[in-house]
Amino acid sequence: MVNIAETKDLYVEYRTEKGISGEKEIVKAVNGVNLDVNQGEILAIAGESGCGKSTLARALMKLEPIKSGKVLFSGKDISDFTKEELKKFRQKVQMVFQNPFSSLNPKMTILQILSEPLEINTRLNKTEIKQIVLDKIRQVGLSEDILDLYPHEFSGGQRQRIAIARALVMDPEFIIADEPVSALDVSIQAQIINLLKKLKDEFNLTIILITHDMRVIEYLADRVAVMYLGEIVESGKTKEIFNSPKHPYTKALMSSVPKIIDKNKAKIILSGDLPSPTDLPSGCKFHTRCNHCMDICVDNNPDYTYFSDCHQAKCFLYNKCITKEQQ
Ligand code: SF4
């Protein structure tokens, strides 16, 4: 397996203003994340809103300042990129956002929207650019008649197809899709999910899928990393995690989806809201909401326990399991 991107002990923090007092506070959004992304896979990053998954994705794209740690792309630290390398990186890595209406300029036609990245980044002439745009439009299942229309003339699902076509015009290797179906009607979600799967196979794309929807992950992802307050609390192959989730937070996320839950098991209700990333809990960050919390969890942050080569979870319940070093 070729590793296309990785993070090493990554921390991302940013300052924000506290309510009307205007007092500054620090959001600790990503806290020591080590993540490998394999070429050609769909890696899902799962978790509640506010868990740091979108900040992690933005850091991977060099859109967030890194406090410490590294992001490597094809083995090279992205903070060492020259201007030319950064330009190439921006072409290879594209993003698809949650809301296709706000991510498409309403004053531009579809042809203008899709041509823009090619006009800025290549020396292709107008005819060549139009040909690429037409190819991409067809690849996402739309007709070439739409080129002179504006984004508001389309449904949500069609707009997301256009946003995906825009991500494809630069022939990317790597796409970060941030909640790509959560703003769409349920009936349309499956079409966009299937489209992403088809394009991934067709172009050997690597996709990071940011989502809170475990059903989408089960269907689409090869691997899952579950995030809680800026940490990855469990990761592994999708099948392994869905068959045998270990971390209490992963179990709670899964139990909230009727299709996934075992008929004999009740939905796990987490107590309280997600704590603020400006004031992280001590010890295991999940201890304030965990039904299995023990004394040790309050002041100590657990290490990862390995259940297989790539399945790991960060929880004191599995202290007796063998660690990776012992394998
Ligand atoms: Fe719960 Fe303790 Fe495991 Fe954290 S370490 S998830 S608090 S049991």
Side-chain angles (χ1 to χ4, degrees), residues 138-153:
R138 290 187 199 111
Q139 282 160 5
V140 299
L142 293 169
S143 126
E144 55 193 67
D145 311 338
I146 67 162
L147 291 187
D148 294 326
L149 302 178
Y150 289 85
H152 73 271
E153 298 178 82

PDB file of all heavy atoms in Angstrom, residues 138-153:
ATOM      1  N   ARG A 138     -20.072  15.200 -18.227  1.00  0.00           N
ATOM      2  CA  ARG A 138     -20.655  13.881 -18.574  1.00  0.00           C
ATOM      3  C   ARG A 138     -20.284  12.844 -17.518  1.00  0.00           C
ATOM      4  O   ARG A 138     -21.105  12.009 -17.141  1.00  0.00           O
ATOM      5  CB  ARG A 138     -20.163  13.420 -19.947  1.00  0.00           C
ATOM      6  CG  ARG A 138     -20.732  14.243 -21.090  1.00  0.00           C
ATOM      7  CD  ARG A 138     -20.357  13.632 -22.447  1.00  0.00           C
ATOM      8  NE  ARG A 138     -20.507  14.616 -23.503  1.00  0.00           N
ATOM      9  CZ  ARG A 138     -19.495  15.160 -24.183  1.00  0.00           C
ATOM     10  NH1 ARG A 138     -18.245  14.788 -23.951  1.00  0.00           N
ATOM     11  NH2 ARG A 138     -19.722  16.062 -25.125  1.00  0.00           N
ATOM     12  N   GLN A 139     -19.041  12.913 -17.037  1.00  0.00           N
ATOM     13  CA  GLN A 139     -18.596  11.913 -16.042  1.00  0.00           C
ATOM     14  C   GLN A 139     -19.393  11.983 -14.747  1.00  0.00           C
ATOM     15  O   GLN A 139     -19.522  10.998 -14.033  1.00  0.00           O
ATOM     16  CB  GLN A 139     -17.100  12.108 -15.740  1.00  0.00           C
ATOM     17  CG  GLN A 139     -16.217  11.531 -16.833  1.00  0.00           C
ATOM     18  CD  GLN A 139     -14.819  12.119 -16.824  1.00  0.00           C
ATOM     19  OE1 GLN A 139     -14.463  12.902 -15.954  1.00  0.00           O
ATOM     20  NE2 GLN A 139     -14.031  11.756 -17.812  1.00  0.00           N
ATOM     21  N   VAL A 140     -19.936  13.164 -14.431  1.00  0.00           N
ATOM     22  CA  VAL A 140     -20.743  13.259 -13.205  1.00  0.00           C
ATOM     23  C   VAL A 140     -22.235  13.069 -13.499  1.00  0.00           C
ATOM     24  O   VAL A 140     -23.077  13.304 -12.627  1.00  0.00           O
ATOM     25  CB  VAL A 140     -20.502  14.587 -12.444  1.00  0.00           C
ATOM     26  CG1 VAL A 140     -19.055  14.709 -12.020  1.00  0.00           C
ATOM     27  CG2 VAL A 140     -20.949  15.800 -13.250  1.00  0.00           C
ATOM     28  N   GLY A 141     -22.553  12.658 -14.721  1.00  0.00           N
ATOM     29  CA  GLY A 141     -23.933  12.297 -15.044  1.00  0.00           C
ATOM     30  C   GLY A 141     -24.823  13.460 -15.417  1.00  0.00           C
ATOM     31  O   GLY A 141     -26.051  13.385 -15.307  1.00  0.00           O
ATOM     32  N   LEU A 142     -24.226  14.576 -15.907  1.00  0.00           N
ATOM     33  CA  LEU A 142     -25.040  15.718 -16.342  1.00  0.00           C
ATOM     34  C   LEU A 142     -24.910  15.882 -17.858  1.00  0.00           C
ATOM     35  O   LEU A 142     -23.988  15.348 -18.471  1.00  0.00           O
ATOM     36  CB  LEU A 142     -24.590  16.993 -15.623  1.00  0.00           C
ATOM     37  CG  LEU A 142     -24.853  17.023 -14.108  1.00  0.00           C
ATOM     38  CD1 LEU A 142     -24.134  18.207 -13.472  1.00  0.00           C
ATOM     39  CD2 LEU A 142     -26.336  17.068 -13.791  1.00  0.00           C
ATOM     40  N   SER A 143     -25.827  16.679 -18.430  1.00  0.00           N
ATOM     41  CA  SER A 143     -25.798  16.837 -19.883  1.00  0.00           C
ATOM     42  C   SER A 143     -25.080  18.142 -20.249  1.00  0.00           C
ATOM     43  O   SER A 143     -25.050  19.103 -19.480  1.00  0.00           O
ATOM     44  CB  SER A 143     -27.235  16.815 -20.403  1.00  0.00           C
ATOM     45  OG  SER A 143     -27.485  17.938 -21.160  1.00  0.00           O
ATOM     46  N   GLU A 144     -24.513  18.156 -21.456  1.00  0.00           N
ATOM     47  CA  GLU A 144     -23.737  19.320 -21.876  1.00  0.00           C
ATOM     48  C   GLU A 144     -24.600  20.571 -22.084  1.00  0.00           C
ATOM     49  O   GLU A 144     -24.084  21.673 -22.204  1.00  0.00           O
ATOM     50  CB  GLU A 144     -22.962  18.998 -23.158  1.00  0.00           C
ATOM     51  CG  GLU A 144     -23.833  18.510 -24.282  1.00  0.00           C
ATOM     52  CD  GLU A 144     -22.987  17.916 -25.407  1.00  0.00           C
ATOM     53  OE1 GLU A 144     -22.360  16.867 -25.187  1.00  0.00           O
ATOM     54  OE2 GLU A 144     -22.973  18.523 -26.482  1.00  0.00           O
ATOM     55  N   ASP A 145     -25.952  20.402 -22.102  1.00  0.00           N
ATOM     56  CA  ASP A 145     -26.841  21.563 -22.299  1.00  0.00           C
ATOM     57  C   ASP A 145     -26.780  22.550 -21.136  1.00  0.00           C
ATOM     58  O   ASP A 145     -27.318  23.640 -21.222  1.00  0.00           O
ATOM     59  CB  ASP A 145     -28.319  21.117 -22.394  1.00  0.00           C
ATOM     60  CG  ASP A 145     -28.504  19.989 -23.363  1.00  0.00           C
ATOM     61  OD1 ASP A 145     -27.624  19.845 -24.226  1.00  0.00           O
ATOM     62  OD2 ASP A 145     -29.519  19.274 -23.255  1.00  0.00           O
ATOM     63  N   ILE A 146     -26.181  22.141 -20.039  1.00  0.00           N
ATOM     64  CA  ILE A 146     -26.271  22.979 -18.835  1.00  0.00           C
ATOM     65  C   ILE A 146     -25.199  24.073 -18.767  1.00  0.00           C
ATOM     66  O   ILE A 146     -25.206  24.886 -17.865  1.00  0.00           O
ATOM     67  CB  ILE A 146     -26.160  22.120 -17.549  1.00  0.00           C
ATOM     68  CG1 ILE A 146     -24.746  21.525 -17.431  1.00  0.00           C
ATOM     69  CG2 ILE A 146     -27.213  21.031 -17.506  1.00  0.00           C
ATOM     70  CD1 ILE A 146     -24.432  21.052 -16.033  1.00  0.00           C
ATOM     71  N   LEU A 147     -24.278  24.074 -19.711  1.00  0.00           N
ATOM     72  CA  LEU A 147     -23.099  24.931 -19.562  1.00  0.00           C
ATOM     73  C   LEU A 147     -23.405  26.421 -19.446  1.00  0.00           C
ATOM     74  O   LEU A 147     -22.665  27.167 -18.805  1.00  0.00           O
ATOM     75  CB  LEU A 147     -22.125  24.699 -20.722  1.00  0.00           C
ATOM     76  CG  LEU A 147     -21.425  23.338 -20.743  1.00  0.00           C
ATOM     77  CD1 LEU A 147     -20.376  23.287 -21.829  1.00  0.00           C
ATOM     78  CD2 LEU A 147     -20.781  23.032 -19.404  1.00  0.00           C
ATOM     79  N   ASP A 148     -24.506  26.867 -20.066  1.00  0.00           N
ATOM     80  CA  ASP A 148     -24.803  28.310 -20.013  1.00  0.00           C
ATOM     81  C   ASP A 148     -25.768  28.666 -18.889  1.00  0.00           C
ATOM     82  O   ASP A 148     -26.214  29.807 -18.788  1.00  0.00           O
ATOM     83  CB  ASP A 148     -25.381  28.770 -21.364  1.00  0.00           C
ATOM     84  CG  ASP A 148     -24.328  28.640 -22.457  1.00  0.00           C
ATOM     85  OD1 ASP A 148     -23.130  28.843 -22.144  1.00  0.00           O
ATOM     86  OD2 ASP A 148     -24.691  28.299 -23.592  1.00  0.00           O
ATOM     87  N   LEU A 149     -26.113  27.700 -18.060  1.00  0.00           N
ATOM     88  CA  LEU A 149     -27.045  27.979 -16.957  1.00  0.00           C
ATOM     89  C   LEU A 149     -26.283  28.425 -15.706  1.00  0.00           C
ATOM     90  O   LEU A 149     -25.054  28.300 -15.632  1.00  0.00           O
ATOM     91  CB  LEU A 149     -27.876  26.728 -16.650  1.00  0.00           C
ATOM     92  CG  LEU A 149     -28.706  26.161 -17.818  1.00  0.00           C
ATOM     93  CD1 LEU A 149     -29.446  24.904 -17.379  1.00  0.00           C
ATOM     94  CD2 LEU A 149     -29.690  27.204 -18.344  1.00  0.00           C
ATOM     95  N   TYR A 150     -27.031  28.915 -14.711  1.00  0.00           N
ATOM     96  CA  TYR A 150     -26.437  29.398 -13.451  1.00  0.00           C
ATOM     97  C   TYR A 150     -26.782  28.422 -12.313  1.00  0.00           C
ATOM     98  O   TYR A 150     -27.802  27.708 -12.392  1.00  0.00           O
ATOM     99  CB  TYR A 150     -26.972  30.802 -13.139  1.00  0.00           C
ATOM    100  CG  TYR A 150     -26.428  31.847 -14.083  1.00  0.00           C
ATOM    101  CD1 TYR A 150     -27.045  32.072 -15.319  1.00  0.00           C
ATOM    102  CD2 TYR A 150     -25.286  32.586 -13.763  1.00  0.00           C
ATOM    103  CE1 TYR A 150     -26.537  33.005 -16.208  1.00  0.00           C
ATOM    104  CE2 TYR A 150     -24.760  33.517 -14.652  1.00  0.00           C
ATOM    105  CZ  TYR A 150     -25.384  33.724 -15.870  1.00  0.00           C
ATOM    106  OH  TYR A 150     -24.865  34.640 -16.750  1.00  0.00           O
ATOM    107  N   PRO A 151     -25.988  28.425 -11.232  1.00  0.00           N
ATOM    108  CA  PRO A 151     -26.215  27.448 -10.154  1.00  0.00           C
ATOM    109  C   PRO A 151     -27.643  27.423  -9.608  1.00  0.00           C
ATOM    110  O   PRO A 151     -28.156  26.345  -9.282  1.00  0.00           O
ATOM    111  CB  PRO A 151     -25.224  27.889  -9.071  1.00  0.00           C
ATOM    112  CG  PRO A 151     -24.108  28.514  -9.832  1.00  0.00           C
ATOM    113  CD  PRO A 151     -24.753  29.203 -11.001  1.00  0.00           C
ATOM    114  N   HIS A 152     -28.314  28.606  -9.545  1.00  0.00           N
ATOM    115  CA  HIS A 152     -29.652  28.607  -8.931  1.00  0.00           C
ATOM    116  C   HIS A 152     -30.678  27.846  -9.778  1.00  0.00           C
ATOM    117  O   HIS A 152     -31.779  27.555  -9.315  1.00  0.00           O
ATOM    118  CB  HIS A 152     -30.128  30.048  -8.681  1.00  0.00           C
ATOM    119  CG  HIS A 152     -30.513  30.783  -9.933  1.00  0.00           C
ATOM    120  ND1 HIS A 152     -29.619  31.516 -10.673  1.00  0.00           N
ATOM    121  CD2 HIS A 152     -31.690  30.860 -10.597  1.00  0.00           C
ATOM    122  CE1 HIS A 152     -30.230  32.030 -11.732  1.00  0.00           C
ATOM    123  NE2 HIS A 152     -31.490  31.635 -11.700  1.00  0.00           N
ATOM    124  N   GLU A 153     -30.331  27.522 -11.009  1.00  0.00           N
ATOM    125  CA  GLU A 153     -31.278  26.825 -11.881  1.00  0.00           C
ATOM    126  C   GLU A 153     -31.243  25.301 -11.680  1.00  0.00           C
ATOM    127  O   GLU A 153     -31.904  24.567 -12.402  1.00  0.00           O
ATOM    128  CB  GLU A 153     -30.988  27.176 -13.341  1.00  0.00           C
ATOM    129  CG  GLU A 153     -31.169  28.672 -13.611  1.00  0.00           C
ATOM    130  CD  GLU A 153     -30.847  29.071 -15.034  1.00  0.00           C
ATOM    131  OE1 GLU A 153     -31.726  28.906 -15.897  1.00  0.00           O
ATOM    132  OE2 GLU A 153     -29.725  29.555 -15.283  1.00  0.00           O
TER     133      GLU A 153
END
